């Protein structure tokens, strides 16, 4: 389930952990409300904040080390075992049918629909979304929902840290003395604000794409994807409505045979 901890992403993951705990330490060392509550024995908020930071780090490792849905062997008969018959295949235009039964030019395995070969991971990934350099892993069928959960949780921690940092500034009338007193906290605040903005945009974009039942790869490279070339600009053969898309993404676990959804849409159009 998990990849080797000491793989190519070791440096990225180590840097992430070090940066997380350095920022947390700075928030405790400066005269923030976190430190004031700690000194007065009010430990509920400091302990809760540390636990949230710890959980965010654990969730980060879970997402970054999890198998995103690597295809390790051929499963050409899977779609037929789950109810996709030859009659249903015949209802789709021949060009589309042949493009679905394609083999990867790199790992030579047959790719299920919505999968893609990742050049960085050197594997084909089911329901490929993108390769994220932040986690040094692909985001795919198995870890996509956890990636969204991580973004939401990370945003909560960043915003709380930003609020804590804001309470630690000390008023000094002279500018250069103020900068000397609050320089480190200012840098931390700016970094937290930048990271909060990035995570907010990432979370918003992923929730938007999930609500449409499309992926980042499909959204950005629609014109190059074989099974979407024949669709109109606003047509998505996997869209089952916003509520059902969100329900399927967050609440239904296991492998989805996207050929089945695609065939159903195709049969409705015939």
């Amino acid at each position: 389930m998990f990849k080797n901890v000491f793989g190519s992403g070791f440096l990225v993951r180590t840097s992430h952990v070090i940066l997380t705990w350095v920022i947390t330490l700075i928030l405790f060392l400066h005269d923030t409300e976190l430190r004031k509550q700690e000194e007065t024995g009010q430990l509920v908020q400091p302990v809760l904040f540390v636990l949230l930071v710890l959980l965010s780090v654990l969730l980060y490792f879970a997402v970054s080390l999890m198998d995103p849905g690597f295809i390790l062997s051929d499963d050409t008969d899977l779609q037929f075992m789950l109810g996709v018959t030859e009659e249903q295949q015949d209802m789709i235009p021949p060009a589309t049918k042949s493009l679905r039964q394609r083999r990867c030019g790199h790992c030579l395995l047959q790719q299920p629909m919505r999968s893609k070969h990742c050049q960085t991971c050197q594997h084909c990934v089911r329901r490929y979304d993108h390769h994220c350099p932040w986690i040094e892993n692909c985001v795919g069928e198995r870890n996509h929902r956890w990636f969204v959960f991580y973004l939401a949780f990370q945003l909560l921690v960043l915003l709380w840290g930003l609020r804590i940092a804001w309470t630690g500034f000390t008023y000094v009338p002279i500018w250069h003395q103020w900068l000397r007193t609050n320089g480190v906290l200012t840098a931390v605040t700016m970094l937290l604000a930048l990271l909060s903005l990035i995570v907010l945009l990432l979370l918003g974009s992923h929730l938007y794409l999930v609500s449409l039942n499309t992926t980042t790869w499909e959204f950005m490279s629609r014109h190059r994807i074989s099974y979407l070339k024949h669709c109109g600009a606003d047509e998505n053969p996997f869209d089952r409505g916003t509520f059902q898309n969100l329900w399927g993404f967050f609440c239904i676990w296991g492998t989805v045979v996207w050929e089945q959804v695609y065939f159903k849409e195709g049969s409705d159009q015939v």
Side-chain angles (χ1 to χ4, degrees), residues 13 16-21 23-24 47-65 134-135 146-147 149-161 192 195 199:
R13 297 182 185 108
H16 176 91
V17 173
I18 292 175
L19 181 62
T20 299
W21 289 112
I23 292 176
T24 303
V47 170
L48 184 57
F49 182 73
V50 171
L51 286 177
L52 287 178
V53 173
L54 178 61
L55 286 174
S56 73
V57 172
L58 293 177
L59 192 55
Y60 168 80
F61 273 99
V63 173
S64 63
L65 298 175
W134 189 352
I135 64 173
W146 292 109
F147 181 73
F149 287 148
Y150 164 70
L151 290 178
F153 200 86
Q154 187 67 58
L155 181 62
L156 174 64
V157 174
L158 287 170
L159 291 177
W160 194 357
L192 288 173
L195 292 175
V199 174

Side-chain angles (χ1 to χ4, degrees), residues 87-130:
E87 286 96 1
Q88 286 175 308
Q89 288 193 54
D90 292 337
M91 299 177 82
I92 304 300
T96 325
K97 174 182 171 183
S98 61
L99 287 171
R100 280 196 308 278
Q101 299 178 344
R102 66 192 186 283
R103 285 196 175 271
C104 174
H106 300 276
C107 57
L108 302 180
L109 295 175
Q110 185 162 344
Q111 294 178 325
M113 189 171 284
R114 307 191 82 180
S115 63
K116 181 183 182 296
H117 185 87
C118 175
Q119 297 286 357
T120 305
C121 295
Q122 292 299 312
H123 285 292
C124 288
V125 181
R126 292 181 180 277
R127 197 184 176 276
Y128 176 86
D129 188 87
H130 72 289

